[in-house]
Amino acid sequence: MFTIIKIFKDNKKILAEIAACKIVEGFFILLGASFLVKFIAAPSEKFLLATLGFFAGRFFISSRAEIFFARLSRNMQFSFRKKIHEQIFDKEIPSGELLTLIFDTLQAVEEFFLKVAPQIFSAIIFLPIFLICAAVVDLLTAAILLLTLPIAPILLWLIGKATAEKNSRAWAELQKLNGDFRELLAAITTLKMFNRIDAGAKKIREASQKSSAATLDVLKLAFVSSFALELITTLSIALVAVTLGLRLVAGNVEFQAALFLLLLAPEFFLPIRKFGAAFHVLISARESLERLKKFLFASEEVAGSVEKILMPPTIFLDNVSFTYPKKFSPVLRGVSLKFQAGKITALIGESGAGKSTLLKLLAGILKPTAGEIFWNEIPTSRMEKNSRLSKISYVPQAPHLFETTLRKNFTMFDALDAAQLQKFLLALNLSTLDLNSPQKLSRGQLQRLGLIRALLKNSPIILLDEPTAGLDEVTEQKVLALIKEISLRKTIIIATHRAAVINFADEILKLETILL
């Protein structure tokens, strides 16, 4: 139900265009059949041209409706992907399930809008129009159509119940296959080192065979449903044809009326026949929508506190520990630190001590497995998520470069302040870049791009992960000078190994390595 509501809210215009196309297409079918009957009864060039015109118009309108359905499918996929990306760091989800969700699940949703939704719209719009038209021409034929119509939905419901369990098994096997494949890719260097590639390949092959077998079980039932619908609709059309033929011989119905109804009967059952051919798509889409619903809307966290906090805050870590999912050894254990408000703090420590992980905890990307993070006296776990994130700028070691112009890459958070952007670009030796086209940047340029993003966001808390690593001394000093210039009324935390950054900072905190 949530999906249907969202469709109507976000895509009213597209749905109205689709409905209009289907209504026009339905009347073109009726008019085309009517003029074809007239042409057969009394051959005339104008009847023939009218028939060809209406049938050509029908196929043109149908192709336009397909374009609107494709647009609707893109909109829905974009909406789902956006919601998944917004929540991907808030929920612990196995890699196999995540890959299945992002790719296979959304693929099933796309196929639903391209193959099943058109038939649902056609059935909703065509069936009442054709049934009313048949009743006007001949009540008995309309009664036969009305009585035979419910057989197909009842049959599909019964087959759907039988298919649901098999389809769930197929999705579970596919999810396991995705997870195993991702784990193999992640560990391929280690497997190669210890000559275990064949064992990994065997595991993937077995998972692939199980997934194929489960999918084949679903397809078997899908083919059965398609055959059953074809048989039922064919028998229904045959019943209409035999009844009309006997009544025509008996003189109880006119030839033109009988011929018109005979042409109308296949069109009446056509959406149901096409729906049967795509029935397995509907089953997959139903399972996919349930998975999306479970991921996007299950166990939503409480909104939290919205009370005002003095900015920039002093940040406390109280006995914070963190262990990555499916790992046994903690990255951080019992960390208690204090970052002073309005100061530049250098976070130092040996490689592997967990500096980058600590910055992600401070940024809200990760959640502590134990302990609490405070802003002044308020725990961040009680704060409203979006409000908290709006006050943080986090720059990782390798900022992401999006496939768009550099201008949009620099100003992804707020409206463009051209003067401010030019000032930062000039200060960091990036003023020669072409902002109006996509470009590949070096590692050092990417680091400075990330810094400029953070500065343009103008947050009271700025978290920088090795912002000067790999830069020459001159460029490093320019980066530090710019950080100093904007540091007023900001709490800035820099994870670093560089002596120049450590000497530049107002305070230095050391993160100790966990001894196992």
Side-chain angles (χ1 to χ4, degrees), residues 220-248:
K220 286 177 182 177
L221 280 174
F223 288 134
V224 170
S225 67
S226 180
F227 171 76
L229 276 181
E230 286 286 344
L231 180 62
I232 289 170
T233 53
T234 301
L235 291 175
S236 299
I237 294 170
L239 180 61
V240 171
V242 170
T243 304
L244 286 173
L246 293 175
R247 293 173 63 207
L248 185 63

Side-chain angles (χ1 to χ4, degrees), residues 327-468:
K327 301 294 182 182
F328 298 103
S329 301
V331 181
L332 301 171
R333 180 192 294 157
V335 176
S336 295
L337 295 173
K338 179 179 179 180
F339 300 94
Q340 292 289 351
K343 301 288 186 179
I344 300 174
T345 302
L347 181 65
I348 64 173
E350 298 177 3
S351 295
K355 298 187 298 297
S356 296
T357 300
L358 180 56
L359 287 187
K360 291 178 181 178
L361 289 169
L362 294 173
I365 296 174
L366 301 175
K367 294 180 180 179
T369 50
E372 184 62 84
I373 299 173
F374 293 85
W375 287 5
N376 298 333
E377 295 82 20
I378 301 175
T380 55
S381 60
R382 284 177 46 202
M383 297 178 189
E384 199 278 325
K385 175 187 170 185
N386 291 329
S387 176
R388 183 177 81 245
L389 293 180
S390 68
K391 297 175 177 62
I392 299 172
S393 291
Y394 166 66
V395 183
Q397 293 183 27
H400 185 72
L401 184 66
F402 295 94
E403 291 292 335
T404 183
T405 64
L406 282 183
R407 187 180 301 276
K408 290 182 179 179
N409 265 286
F410 279 113
T411 59
M412 57 183 292
F413 292 108
D414 294 301
L416 173 64
D417 184 341
Q420 188 90 335
L421 176 59
Q422 285 301 322
K423 174 185 173 182
F424 292 152
L425 291 174
L426 188 62
L428 298 182
N429 292 343
L430 296 176
S431 57
T432 58
L433 294 174
D434 181 6
L435 301 182
N436 298 315
S437 63
Q439 290 189 29
K440 290 187 176 181
L441 301 181
S442 67
R443 169 70 183 273
Q445 288 174 325
L446 270 178
Q447 288 174 300
R448 285 173 278 169
L449 175 144
L451 178 60
I452 291 176
R453 280 177 180 166
L455 301 185
L456 288 174
K457 187 179 178 183
N458 195 28
S459 304
I461 300 172
I462 298 178
L463 310 173
L464 306 175
D465 194 353
E466 299 284 2
T468 63

